[in-house]
Amino acid sequence: MEQNKKEKELLISHLFNASPELVFKAWTDPEQLKHWYAPDGCTIEFKSINVKEGGSFHSCIHDPIHGDCWIMGTYQEVIVPEKLVFSMVLTNEEGHSLRSVEAGKPEDWPEEILTTVTFKPVGNQTTVSLHQTVAEATAKETGAYQSWIKMFHKLDVIFKG
């Protein structure tokens, strides 16, 4: 048995009843993101967002129980409507990065997470695969995994509209 076996990273796939173009737009348009890109009971605001390679975002999830969670990231790859790759770093409102524990996360939470989202057509539908460089077990313990599932369900409702 391998001694230092790497922990399984977060990987979630979901089938949406919409074209890759529509699903991709839901991931890149701040007006659409406001309606689904936050856990249940929370809201999101974007201080800035520029979806292009080398572009960045600075957002805040407002949680009535746990308070605000500011995140900054850089878009490393943007292939319309196939793929998004972006970093995510916990910050304060001014955009200064925080250690994970300063932001209320566990000690083993990564200081930077790389998120890769792919959009694959399946007939008139789209399979979205989300991969993050965080241990799946840690994501489940913190509720991040469950939040993604709930956010995907919110996006489902929008497409069923």
Side-chain angles (χ1 to χ4, degrees):
M1 184 153 166
E2 193 177 296
Q3 199 85 17
N4 294 331
K5 188 172 182 190
K6 189 173 180 178
E7 289 188 69
K8 180 180 175 190
E9 291 183 336
L10 180 66
L11 178 62
I12 301 172
S13 291
H14 189 89
L15 183 66
F16 290 98
N17 195 22
S19 69
E21 292 78 13
L22 287 175
V23 181
F24 189 91
K25 187 172 183 190
W27 276 83
T28 57
D29 175 8
E31 281 306 308
Q32 290 190 49
L33 285 163
K34 285 196 284 192
H35 296 287
W36 72 271
Y37 197 76
D40 290 350
C42 302
T43 59
I44 188 167
E45 73 168 287
F46 287 89
K47 202 169 191 176
S48 64
I49 182 170
N50 184 7
V51 184
K52 66 176 189 175
E53 283 190 28
S56 63
F57 65 91
H58 189 192
S59 64
C60 181
I61 292 183
H62 301 288
D63 185 323
I65 296 166
H66 302 290
D68 290 347
C69 179
W70 287 92
I71 296 174
M72 285 186 80
T74 302
Y75 291 97
Q76 297 176 3
E77 207 175 332
V78 178
I79 303 171
V80 182
E82 299 170 14
K83 188 177 187 182
L84 284 173
V85 179
F86 54 92
S87 61
M88 298 173 76
V89 176
L90 296 163
T91 69
N92 60 18
E93 187 173 356
E94 290 75 42
H96 301 119
S97 62
L98 299 175
R99 289 182 42 248
S100 53
V101 289
E102 293 175 309
K105 299 287 185 197
E107 187 70 45
D108 61 347
W109 191 261
E111 298 300 321
E112 179 177 85
I113 294 174
L114 190 64
T115 301
T116 302
V117 188
T118 58
F119 306 81
K120 299 268 189 241
V122 180
N124 295 328
Q125 300 174 313
T126 304
T127 296
V128 170
S129 294
L130 172 106
H131 172 258
Q132 285 190 310
T133 55
V134 64
E136 182 180 281
T138 303
K140 286 181 176 179
E141 287 167 20
T142 63
Y145 180 93
Q146 296 87 333
S147 291
W148 278 116
I149 301 295
K150 290 176 182 175
M151 289 188 295
F152 282 3
H153 287 300
K154 283 186 193 179
L155 190 51
D156 267 336
V157 170
I158 291 169
F159 289 132
K160 288 176 184 166

